[in-house]
Amino acid sequence: MNGLHPIKMPSAKEKVAAELRKAILSRQLQEGEAVTLESVANQLEVSVMPVREAFQILARDGLIKLQRNKGAVVLGINETYIREHYQLRAILDSAAPEVDITRIEESYECAAESIQNNDFAAYADQNREFHSEIWSAAGNSRMENMIAELWNGLSMGSMITEADYAKVSIEEHERIMKAIRERNGAAAKEEMYRHIMRSRDDMLTNYR
């Protein structure tokens, strides 16, 4: 069978970091709460090694403080942190590619199909895949690694469901895809920036 491409999958440490970051940003993990390598590894059903690496990423970002007992304490965050996080995401994600976009299109079509089938759980993975293909097409591996480590999954606030989020997100992806197909770099950057800023505003509903 020809024409198939390997699916880009996040590394184990990126998956763990994304889950922990999402839990902290959405306040599922509260300021001052202690977490351990073993407890996180058990809950996420992974080995301790990617959890340790994820802890290093989150500590660097100021989300947790590492402890000597193989654990960490969740640090407090506020609206300023959220705004800065998504501002950085928007800047990095807005690097529109000027290369072959076949795999970006394939990723978009798979995500759109999941929406049509009401498979919103699958959309969460395909949402990342769409962004990942754009990062890869930009051709800057250092930037790609930076964005991957900032990823925190679907940026769902307190006033939107997974289904509603997916439907809004795919419409925004469609506009981004249209601009990329037309090789309109300025429009692609603008649409991606709006997309990330809307995600920021959704997440900020957890802090109001």
PDB file of all heavy atoms in Angstrom, residues 26-64:
ATOM      1  N   SER A  26      -5.795  23.884  34.649  1.00  0.00           N
ATOM      2  CA  SER A  26      -7.242  23.788  34.884  1.00  0.00           C
ATOM      3  C   SER A  26      -7.593  23.671  36.365  1.00  0.00           C
ATOM      4  O   SER A  26      -8.748  23.513  36.721  1.00  0.00           O
ATOM      5  CB  SER A  26      -7.815  22.584  34.135  1.00  0.00           C
ATOM      6  OG  SER A  26      -7.259  21.375  34.637  1.00  0.00           O
ATOM      7  N   ARG A  27      -6.559  23.717  37.220  1.00  0.00           N
ATOM      8  CA  ARG A  27      -6.720  23.658  38.668  1.00  0.00           C
ATOM      9  C   ARG A  27      -7.188  22.308  39.190  1.00  0.00           C
ATOM     10  O   ARG A  27      -7.709  22.211  40.299  1.00  0.00           O
ATOM     11  CB  ARG A  27      -7.662  24.763  39.150  1.00  0.00           C
ATOM     12  CG  ARG A  27      -7.056  26.161  39.048  1.00  0.00           C
ATOM     13  CD  ARG A  27      -8.004  27.215  39.534  1.00  0.00           C
ATOM     14  NE  ARG A  27      -7.321  28.518  39.682  1.00  0.00           N
ATOM     15  CZ  ARG A  27      -7.956  29.644  39.968  1.00  0.00           C
ATOM     16  NH1 ARG A  27      -9.261  29.654  40.134  1.00  0.00           N
ATOM     17  NH2 ARG A  27      -7.273  30.773  40.088  1.00  0.00           N
ATOM     18  N   GLN A  28      -7.015  21.280  38.402  1.00  0.00           N
ATOM     19  CA  GLN A  28      -7.247  19.941  38.942  1.00  0.00           C
ATOM     20  C   GLN A  28      -6.159  19.609  39.967  1.00  0.00           C
ATOM     21  O   GLN A  28      -6.402  18.878  40.922  1.00  0.00           O
ATOM     22  CB  GLN A  28      -7.247  18.913  37.807  1.00  0.00           C
ATOM     23  CG  GLN A  28      -8.397  19.072  36.828  1.00  0.00           C
ATOM     24  CD  GLN A  28      -8.289  18.095  35.671  1.00  0.00           C
ATOM     25  OE1 GLN A  28      -7.819  16.976  35.832  1.00  0.00           O
ATOM     26  NE2 GLN A  28      -8.710  18.518  34.496  1.00  0.00           N
ATOM     27  N   LEU A  29      -4.965  20.134  39.726  1.00  0.00           N
ATOM     28  CA  LEU A  29      -3.890  20.086  40.717  1.00  0.00           C
ATOM     29  C   LEU A  29      -3.762  21.487  41.301  1.00  0.00           C
ATOM     30  O   LEU A  29      -3.537  22.456  40.570  1.00  0.00           O
ATOM     31  CB  LEU A  29      -2.563  19.657  40.071  1.00  0.00           C
ATOM     32  CG  LEU A  29      -2.432  18.181  39.694  1.00  0.00           C
ATOM     33  CD1 LEU A  29      -1.131  17.934  38.946  1.00  0.00           C
ATOM     34  CD2 LEU A  29      -2.513  17.294  40.934  1.00  0.00           C
ATOM     35  N   GLN A  30      -3.911  21.596  42.613  1.00  0.00           N
ATOM     36  CA  GLN A  30      -3.966  22.888  43.273  1.00  0.00           C
ATOM     37  C   GLN A  30      -2.597  23.324  43.781  1.00  0.00           C
ATOM     38  O   GLN A  30      -1.694  22.510  43.998  1.00  0.00           O
ATOM     39  CB  GLN A  30      -4.937  22.811  44.457  1.00  0.00           C
ATOM     40  CG  GLN A  30      -6.380  22.529  44.056  1.00  0.00           C
ATOM     41  CD  GLN A  30      -7.077  23.759  43.479  1.00  0.00           C
ATOM     42  OE1 GLN A  30      -6.700  24.886  43.754  1.00  0.00           O
ATOM     43  NE2 GLN A  30      -8.097  23.527  42.673  1.00  0.00           N
ATOM     44  N   GLU A  31      -2.442  24.619  43.974  1.00  0.00           N
ATOM     45  CA  GLU A  31      -1.222  25.169  44.537  1.00  0.00           C
ATOM     46  C   GLU A  31      -0.927  24.512  45.889  1.00  0.00           C
ATOM     47  O   GLU A  31      -1.815  24.352  46.728  1.00  0.00           O
ATOM     48  CB  GLU A  31      -1.376  26.677  44.729  1.00  0.00           C
ATOM     49  CG  GLU A  31      -0.173  27.341  45.363  1.00  0.00           C
ATOM     50  CD  GLU A  31      -0.361  28.832  45.555  1.00  0.00           C
ATOM     51  OE1 GLU A  31      -1.421  29.365  45.133  1.00  0.00           O
ATOM     52  OE2 GLU A  31       0.538  29.472  46.142  1.00  0.00           O
ATOM     53  N   GLY A  32       0.326  24.102  46.076  1.00  0.00           N
ATOM     54  CA  GLY A  32       0.735  23.463  47.319  1.00  0.00           C
ATOM     55  C   GLY A  32       0.532  21.965  47.351  1.00  0.00           C
ATOM     56  O   GLY A  32       1.007  21.291  48.274  1.00  0.00           O
ATOM     57  N   GLU A  33      -0.139  21.417  46.353  1.00  0.00           N
ATOM     58  CA  GLU A  33      -0.377  19.978  46.323  1.00  0.00           C
ATOM     59  C   GLU A  33       0.912  19.244  45.969  1.00  0.00           C
ATOM     60  O   GLU A  33       1.655  19.644  45.080  1.00  0.00           O
ATOM     61  CB  GLU A  33      -1.466  19.654  45.304  1.00  0.00           C
ATOM     62  CG  GLU A  33      -1.925  18.209  45.319  1.00  0.00           C
ATOM     63  CD  GLU A  33      -3.174  17.982  44.486  1.00  0.00           C
ATOM     64  OE1 GLU A  33      -3.843  18.976  44.131  1.00  0.00           O
ATOM     65  OE2 GLU A  33      -3.473  16.810  44.194  1.00  0.00           O
ATOM     66  N   ALA A  34       1.173  18.155  46.671  1.00  0.00           N
ATOM     67  CA  ALA A  34       2.380  17.364  46.437  1.00  0.00           C
ATOM     68  C   ALA A  34       2.090  16.245  45.440  1.00  0.00           C
ATOM     69  O   ALA A  34       1.023  15.619  45.470  1.00  0.00           O
ATOM     70  CB  ALA A  34       2.892  16.777  47.740  1.00  0.00           C
ATOM     71  N   VAL A  35       3.031  16.016  44.555  1.00  0.00           N
ATOM     72  CA  VAL A  35       2.937  14.904  43.608  1.00  0.00           C
ATOM     73  C   VAL A  35       4.262  14.151  43.651  1.00  0.00           C
ATOM     74  O   VAL A  35       5.317  14.732  43.907  1.00  0.00           O
ATOM     75  CB  VAL A  35       2.654  15.397  42.172  1.00  0.00           C
ATOM     76  CG1 VAL A  35       1.261  15.951  42.039  1.00  0.00           C
ATOM     77  CG2 VAL A  35       3.683  16.436  41.738  1.00  0.00           C
ATOM     78  N   THR A  36       4.198  12.851  43.408  1.00  0.00           N
ATOM     79  CA  THR A  36       5.407  12.036  43.414  1.00  0.00           C
ATOM     80  C   THR A  36       5.586  11.358  42.070  1.00  0.00           C
ATOM     81  O   THR A  36       4.626  11.194  41.305  1.00  0.00           O
ATOM     82  CB  THR A  36       5.364  10.956  44.507  1.00  0.00           C
ATOM     83  OG1 THR A  36       4.315  10.012  44.184  1.00  0.00           O
ATOM     84  CG2 THR A  36       5.101  11.576  45.875  1.00  0.00           C
ATOM     85  N   LEU A  37       6.805  10.951  41.800  1.00  0.00           N
ATOM     86  CA  LEU A  37       7.088  10.240  40.554  1.00  0.00           C
ATOM     87  C   LEU A  37       6.232   8.979  40.453  1.00  0.00           C
ATOM     88  O   LEU A  37       5.641   8.698  39.406  1.00  0.00           O
ATOM     89  CB  LEU A  37       8.571   9.864  40.494  1.00  0.00           C
ATOM     90  CG  LEU A  37       9.591  11.001  40.405  1.00  0.00           C
ATOM     91  CD1 LEU A  37      11.004  10.449  40.518  1.00  0.00           C
ATOM     92  CD2 LEU A  37       9.425  11.772  39.097  1.00  0.00           C
ATOM     93  N   GLU A  38       6.169   8.251  41.540  1.00  0.00           N
ATOM     94  CA  GLU A  38       5.451   6.978  41.523  1.00  0.00           C
ATOM     95  C   GLU A  38       3.949   7.160  41.344  1.00  0.00           C
ATOM     96  O   GLU A  38       3.314   6.425  40.582  1.00  0.00           O
ATOM     97  CB  GLU A  38       5.720   6.198  42.820  1.00  0.00           C
ATOM     98  CG  GLU A  38       7.135   5.665  42.959  1.00  0.00           C
ATOM     99  CD  GLU A  38       8.142   6.748  43.371  1.00  0.00           C
ATOM    100  OE1 GLU A  38       7.706   7.877  43.719  1.00  0.00           O
ATOM    101  OE2 GLU A  38       9.345   6.470  43.332  1.00  0.00           O
ATOM    102  N   SER A  39       3.370   8.150  42.029  1.00  0.00           N
ATOM    103  CA  SER A  39       1.917   8.332  41.930  1.00  0.00           C
ATOM    104  C   SER A  39       1.505   8.754  40.528  1.00  0.00           C
ATOM    105  O   SER A  39       0.514   8.265  39.977  1.00  0.00           O
ATOM    106  CB  SER A  39       1.445   9.372  42.958  1.00  0.00           C
ATOM    107  OG  SER A  39       1.976  10.659  42.667  1.00  0.00           O
ATOM    108  N   VAL A  40       2.280   9.670  39.925  1.00  0.00           N
ATOM    109  CA  VAL A  40       1.970  10.106  38.564  1.00  0.00           C
ATOM    110  C   VAL A  40       2.172   8.967  37.577  1.00  0.00           C
ATOM    111  O   VAL A  40       1.344   8.745  36.677  1.00  0.00           O
ATOM    112  CB  VAL A  40       2.844  11.318  38.169  1.00  0.00           C
ATOM    113  CG1 VAL A  40       2.644  11.672  36.689  1.00  0.00           C
ATOM    114  CG2 VAL A  40       2.509  12.520  39.034  1.00  0.00           C
ATOM    115  N   ALA A  41       3.265   8.211  37.741  1.00  0.00           N
ATOM    116  CA  ALA A  41       3.536   7.076  36.859  1.00  0.00           C
ATOM    117  C   ALA A  41       2.407   6.052  36.927  1.00  0.00           C
ATOM    118  O   ALA A  41       1.962   5.523  35.901  1.00  0.00           O
ATOM    119  CB  ALA A  41       4.867   6.426  37.224  1.00  0.00           C
ATOM    120  N   ASN A  42       1.906   5.787  38.123  1.00  0.00           N
ATOM    121  CA  ASN A  42       0.818   4.816  38.285  1.00  0.00           C
ATOM    122  C   ASN A  42      -0.478   5.318  37.656  1.00  0.00           C
ATOM    123  O   ASN A  42      -1.187   4.555  36.987  1.00  0.00           O
ATOM    124  CB  ASN A  42       0.598   4.521  39.769  1.00  0.00           C
ATOM    125  CG  ASN A  42       1.722   3.700  40.371  1.00  0.00           C
ATOM    126  OD1 ASN A  42       2.417   2.974  39.668  1.00  0.00           O
ATOM    127  ND2 ASN A  42       1.911   3.813  41.681  1.00  0.00           N
ATOM    128  N   GLN A  43      -0.783   6.583  37.867  1.00  0.00           N
ATOM    129  CA  GLN A  43      -2.023   7.129  37.327  1.00  0.00           C
ATOM    130  C   GLN A  43      -2.020   7.184  35.802  1.00  0.00           C
ATOM    131  O   GLN A  43      -3.048   6.945  35.160  1.00  0.00           O
ATOM    132  CB  GLN A  43      -2.276   8.527  37.897  1.00  0.00           C
ATOM    133  CG  GLN A  43      -2.631   8.543  39.377  1.00  0.00           C
ATOM    134  CD  GLN A  43      -2.849   9.947  39.873  1.00  0.00           C
ATOM    135  OE1 GLN A  43      -3.766  10.645  39.447  1.00  0.00           O
ATOM    136  NE2 GLN A  43      -1.992  10.388  40.792  1.00  0.00           N
ATOM    137  N   LEU A  44      -0.868   7.517  35.223  1.00  0.00           N
ATOM    138  CA  LEU A  44      -0.774   7.639  33.770  1.00  0.00           C
ATOM    139  C   LEU A  44      -0.331   6.338  33.109  1.00  0.00           C
ATOM    140  O   LEU A  44      -0.253   6.266  31.872  1.00  0.00           O
ATOM    141  CB  LEU A  44       0.193   8.763  33.392  1.00  0.00           C
ATOM    142  CG  LEU A  44      -0.210  10.166  33.858  1.00  0.00           C
ATOM    143  CD1 LEU A  44       0.809  11.196  33.382  1.00  0.00           C
ATOM    144  CD2 LEU A  44      -1.601  10.537  33.343  1.00  0.00           C
ATOM    145  N   GLU A  45      -0.031   5.325  33.933  1.00  0.00           N
ATOM    146  CA  GLU A  45       0.364   4.002  33.442  1.00  0.00           C
ATOM    147  C   GLU A  45       1.592   4.081  32.548  1.00  0.00           C
ATOM    148  O   GLU A  45       1.622   3.571  31.423  1.00  0.00           O
ATOM    149  CB  GLU A  45      -0.802   3.314  32.723  1.00  0.00           C
ATOM    150  CG  GLU A  45      -2.003   3.071  33.630  1.00  0.00           C
ATOM    151  CD  GLU A  45      -3.137   2.347  32.932  1.00  0.00           C
ATOM    152  OE1 GLU A  45      -3.061   2.176  31.694  1.00  0.00           O
ATOM    153  OE2 GLU A  45      -4.093   1.942  33.620  1.00  0.00           O
ATOM    154  N   VAL A  46       2.621   4.752  33.065  1.00  0.00           N
ATOM    155  CA  VAL A  46       3.907   4.854  32.383  1.00  0.00           C
ATOM    156  C   VAL A  46       5.001   4.532  33.391  1.00  0.00           C
ATOM    157  O   VAL A  46       4.740   4.387  34.587  1.00  0.00           O
ATOM    158  CB  VAL A  46       4.143   6.273  31.801  1.00  0.00           C
ATOM    159  CG1 VAL A  46       3.101   6.600  30.738  1.00  0.00           C
ATOM    160  CG2 VAL A  46       4.127   7.326  32.917  1.00  0.00           C
ATOM    161  N   SER A  47       6.224   4.437  32.906  1.00  0.00           N
ATOM    162  CA  SER A  47       7.346   4.202  33.811  1.00  0.00           C
ATOM    163  C   SER A  47       7.732   5.506  34.500  1.00  0.00           C
ATOM    164  O   SER A  47       7.261   6.589  34.133  1.00  0.00           O
ATOM    165  CB  SER A  47       8.541   3.638  33.037  1.00  0.00           C
ATOM    166  OG  SER A  47       9.059   4.621  32.154  1.00  0.00           O
ATOM    167  N   VAL A  48       8.599   5.403  35.483  1.00  0.00           N
ATOM    168  CA  VAL A  48       9.014   6.578  36.247  1.00  0.00           C
ATOM    169  C   VAL A  48       9.873   7.530  35.416  1.00  0.00           C
ATOM    170  O   VAL A  48       9.832   8.746  35.609  1.00  0.00           O
ATOM    171  CB  VAL A  48       9.777   6.143  37.522  1.00  0.00           C
ATOM    172  CG1 VAL A  48      10.433   7.334  38.196  1.00  0.00           C
ATOM    173  CG2 VAL A  48       8.820   5.452  38.504  1.00  0.00           C
ATOM    174  N   MET A  49      10.655   6.995  34.465  1.00  0.00           N
ATOM    175  CA  MET A  49      11.599   7.816  33.714  1.00  0.00           C
ATOM    176  C   MET A  49      10.942   9.001  32.986  1.00  0.00           C
ATOM    177  O   MET A  49      11.391  10.145  33.145  1.00  0.00           O
ATOM    178  CB  MET A  49      12.379   6.957  32.719  1.00  0.00           C
ATOM    179  CG  MET A  49      13.395   7.750  31.896  1.00  0.00           C
ATOM    180  SD  MET A  49      14.643   8.583  32.930  1.00  0.00           S
ATOM    181  CE  MET A  49      15.575   7.137  33.478  1.00  0.00           C
ATOM    182  N   PRO A  50       9.877   8.802  32.178  1.00  0.00           N
ATOM    183  CA  PRO A  50       9.268   9.961  31.517  1.00  0.00           C
ATOM    184  C   PRO A  50       8.641  10.944  32.495  1.00  0.00           C
ATOM    185  O   PRO A  50       8.554  12.142  32.208  1.00  0.00           O
ATOM    186  CB  PRO A  50       8.225   9.340  30.586  1.00  0.00           C
ATOM    187  CG  PRO A  50       7.947   7.992  31.145  1.00  0.00           C
ATOM    188  CD  PRO A  50       9.242   7.542  31.737  1.00  0.00           C
ATOM    189  N   VAL A  51       8.203  10.450  33.649  1.00  0.00           N
ATOM    190  CA  VAL A  51       7.649  11.351  34.671  1.00  0.00           C
ATOM    191  C   VAL A  51       8.757  12.229  35.226  1.00  0.00           C
ATOM    192  O   VAL A  51       8.574  13.438  35.401  1.00  0.00           O
ATOM    193  CB  VAL A  51       6.972  10.561  35.806  1.00  0.00           C
ATOM    194  CG1 VAL A  51       6.412  11.529  36.850  1.00  0.00           C
ATOM    195  CG2 VAL A  51       5.859   9.674  35.254  1.00  0.00           C
ATOM    196  N   ARG A  52       9.916  11.638  35.473  1.00  0.00           N
ATOM    197  CA  ARG A  52      11.052  12.416  35.973  1.00  0.00           C
ATOM    198  C   ARG A  52      11.442  13.497  34.957  1.00  0.00           C
ATOM    199  O   ARG A  52      11.718  14.648  35.324  1.00  0.00           O
ATOM    200  CB  ARG A  52      12.244  11.487  36.236  1.00  0.00           C
ATOM    201  CG  ARG A  52      13.474  12.231  36.761  1.00  0.00           C
ATOM    202  CD  ARG A  52      14.636  11.307  37.039  1.00  0.00           C
ATOM    203  NE  ARG A  52      14.392  10.447  38.204  1.00  0.00           N
ATOM    204  CZ  ARG A  52      14.167   9.152  38.164  1.00  0.00           C
ATOM    205  NH1 ARG A  52      14.141   8.533  36.989  1.00  0.00           N
ATOM    206  NH2 ARG A  52      13.955   8.449  39.261  1.00  0.00           N
ATOM    207  N   GLU A  53      11.453  13.136  33.675  1.00  0.00           N
ATOM    208  CA  GLU A  53      11.794  14.100  32.625  1.00  0.00           C
ATOM    209  C   GLU A  53      10.735  15.185  32.512  1.00  0.00           C
ATOM    210  O   GLU A  53      11.048  16.365  32.299  1.00  0.00           O
ATOM    211  CB  GLU A  53      11.961  13.380  31.292  1.00  0.00           C
ATOM    212  CG  GLU A  53      13.144  12.429  31.255  1.00  0.00           C
ATOM    213  CD  GLU A  53      13.199  11.586  29.996  1.00  0.00           C
ATOM    214  OE1 GLU A  53      12.128  11.320  29.413  1.00  0.00           O
ATOM    215  OE2 GLU A  53      14.305  11.178  29.597  1.00  0.00           O
ATOM    216  N   ALA A  54       9.460  14.801  32.673  1.00  0.00           N
ATOM    217  CA  ALA A  54       8.375  15.777  32.626  1.00  0.00           C
ATOM    218  C   ALA A  54       8.454  16.741  33.808  1.00  0.00           C
ATOM    219  O   ALA A  54       8.196  17.944  33.663  1.00  0.00           O
ATOM    220  CB  ALA A  54       7.017  15.063  32.624  1.00  0.00           C
ATOM    221  N   PHE A  55       8.813  16.216  34.974  1.00  0.00           N
ATOM    222  CA  PHE A  55       8.998  17.078  36.150  1.00  0.00           C
ATOM    223  C   PHE A  55      10.060  18.148  35.871  1.00  0.00           C
ATOM    224  O   PHE A  55       9.909  19.305  36.272  1.00  0.00           O
ATOM    225  CB  PHE A  55       9.423  16.233  37.347  1.00  0.00           C
ATOM    226  CG  PHE A  55       8.285  15.634  38.134  1.00  0.00           C
ATOM    227  CD1 PHE A  55       7.011  15.519  37.579  1.00  0.00           C
ATOM    228  CD2 PHE A  55       8.474  15.177  39.431  1.00  0.00           C
ATOM    229  CE1 PHE A  55       5.969  14.952  38.297  1.00  0.00           C
ATOM    230  CE2 PHE A  55       7.432  14.621  40.169  1.00  0.00           C
ATOM    231  CZ  PHE A  55       6.174  14.514  39.596  1.00  0.00           C
ATOM    232  N   GLN A  56      11.122  17.764  35.177  1.00  0.00           N
ATOM    233  CA  GLN A  56      12.183  18.720  34.858  1.00  0.00           C
ATOM    234  C   GLN A  56      11.656  19.821  33.946  1.00  0.00           C
ATOM    235  O   GLN A  56      11.983  21.000  34.126  1.00  0.00           O
ATOM    236  CB  GLN A  56      13.352  17.988  34.173  1.00  0.00           C
ATOM    237  CG  GLN A  56      14.087  16.992  35.046  1.00  0.00           C
ATOM    238  CD  GLN A  56      14.895  17.660  36.150  1.00  0.00           C
ATOM    239  OE1 GLN A  56      15.268  18.826  36.046  1.00  0.00           O
ATOM    240  NE2 GLN A  56      15.167  16.918  37.222  1.00  0.00           N
ATOM    241  N   ILE A  57      10.828  19.452  32.982  1.00  0.00           N
ATOM    242  CA  ILE A  57      10.236  20.438  32.066  1.00  0.00           C
ATOM    243  C   ILE A  57       9.349  21.416  32.830  1.00  0.00           C
ATOM    244  O   ILE A  57       9.442  22.638  32.663  1.00  0.00           O
ATOM    245  CB  ILE A  57       9.409  19.727  30.969  1.00  0.00           C
ATOM    246  CG1 ILE A  57      10.325  18.918  30.041  1.00  0.00           C
ATOM    247  CG2 ILE A  57       8.610  20.747  30.149  1.00  0.00           C
ATOM    248  CD1 ILE A  57       9.572  18.039  29.061  1.00  0.00           C
ATOM    249  N   LEU A  58       8.487  20.890  33.689  1.00  0.00           N
ATOM    250  CA  LEU A  58       7.542  21.735  34.420  1.00  0.00           C
ATOM    251  C   LEU A  58       8.246  22.585  35.470  1.00  0.00           C
ATOM    252  O   LEU A  58       7.819  23.714  35.747  1.00  0.00           O
ATOM    253  CB  LEU A  58       6.455  20.876  35.061  1.00  0.00           C
ATOM    254  CG  LEU A  58       5.576  20.077  34.102  1.00  0.00           C
ATOM    255  CD1 LEU A  58       4.448  19.391  34.860  1.00  0.00           C
ATOM    256  CD2 LEU A  58       4.999  20.945  32.999  1.00  0.00           C
ATOM    257  N   ALA A  59       9.319  22.053  36.040  1.00  0.00           N
ATOM    258  CA  ALA A  59      10.089  22.839  37.006  1.00  0.00           C
ATOM    259  C   ALA A  59      10.756  24.013  36.293  1.00  0.00           C
ATOM    260  O   ALA A  59      10.811  25.130  36.821  1.00  0.00           O
ATOM    261  CB  ALA A  59      11.132  21.960  37.687  1.00  0.00           C
ATOM    262  N   ARG A  60      11.290  23.759  35.126  1.00  0.00           N
ATOM    263  CA  ARG A  60      11.905  24.818  34.328  1.00  0.00           C
ATOM    264  C   ARG A  60      10.894  25.914  33.994  1.00  0.00           C
ATOM    265  O   ARG A  60      11.218  27.106  33.954  1.00  0.00           O
ATOM    266  CB  ARG A  60      12.468  24.224  33.039  1.00  0.00           C
ATOM    267  CG  ARG A  60      13.164  25.213  32.119  1.00  0.00           C
ATOM    268  CD  ARG A  60      13.283  24.649  30.727  1.00  0.00           C
ATOM    269  NE  ARG A  60      11.966  24.431  30.144  1.00  0.00           N
ATOM    270  CZ  ARG A  60      11.717  23.600  29.140  1.00  0.00           C
ATOM    271  NH1 ARG A  60      12.692  22.871  28.631  1.00  0.00           N
ATOM    272  NH2 ARG A  60      10.484  23.475  28.661  1.00  0.00           N
ATOM    273  N   ASP A  61       9.645  25.502  33.756  1.00  0.00           N
ATOM    274  CA  ASP A  61       8.596  26.459  33.399  1.00  0.00           C
ATOM    275  C   ASP A  61       7.970  27.141  34.612  1.00  0.00           C
ATOM    276  O   ASP A  61       7.076  27.976  34.462  1.00  0.00           O
ATOM    277  CB  ASP A  61       7.487  25.755  32.600  1.00  0.00           C
ATOM    278  CG  ASP A  61       7.960  25.319  31.224  1.00  0.00           C
ATOM    279  OD1 ASP A  61       9.041  25.776  30.792  1.00  0.00           O
ATOM    280  OD2 ASP A  61       7.258  24.520  30.579  1.00  0.00           O
ATOM    281  N   GLY A  62       8.394  26.756  35.819  1.00  0.00           N
ATOM    282  CA  GLY A  62       7.885  27.399  37.019  1.00  0.00           C
ATOM    283  C   GLY A  62       6.539  26.901  37.490  1.00  0.00           C
ATOM    284  O   GLY A  62       5.859  27.569  38.277  1.00  0.00           O
ATOM    285  N   LEU A  63       6.142  25.714  37.039  1.00  0.00           N
ATOM    286  CA  LEU A  63       4.846  25.163  37.444  1.00  0.00           C
ATOM    287  C   LEU A  63       4.945  24.296  38.698  1.00  0.00           C
ATOM    288  O   LEU A  63       3.972  24.147  39.436  1.00  0.00           O
ATOM    289  CB  LEU A  63       4.241  24.338  36.303  1.00  0.00           C
ATOM    290  CG  LEU A  63       3.750  25.136  35.098  1.00  0.00           C
ATOM    291  CD1 LEU A  63       3.279  24.188  33.999  1.00  0.00           C
ATOM    292  CD2 LEU A  63       2.632  26.083  35.490  1.00  0.00           C
ATOM    293  N   ILE A  64       6.102  23.694  38.919  1.00  0.00           N
ATOM    294  CA  ILE A  64       6.307  22.867  40.102  1.00  0.00           C
ATOM    295  C   ILE A  64       7.686  23.158  40.692  1.00  0.00           C
ATOM    296  O   ILE A  64       8.564  23.692  40.014  1.00  0.00           O
ATOM    297  CB  ILE A  64       6.194  21.356  39.791  1.00  0.00           C
ATOM    298  CG1 ILE A  64       7.306  20.926  38.808  1.00  0.00           C
ATOM    299  CG2 ILE A  64       4.818  21.002  39.259  1.00  0.00           C
ATOM    300  CD1 ILE A  64       7.352  19.426  38.546  1.00  0.00           C
TER     301      ILE A  64
END
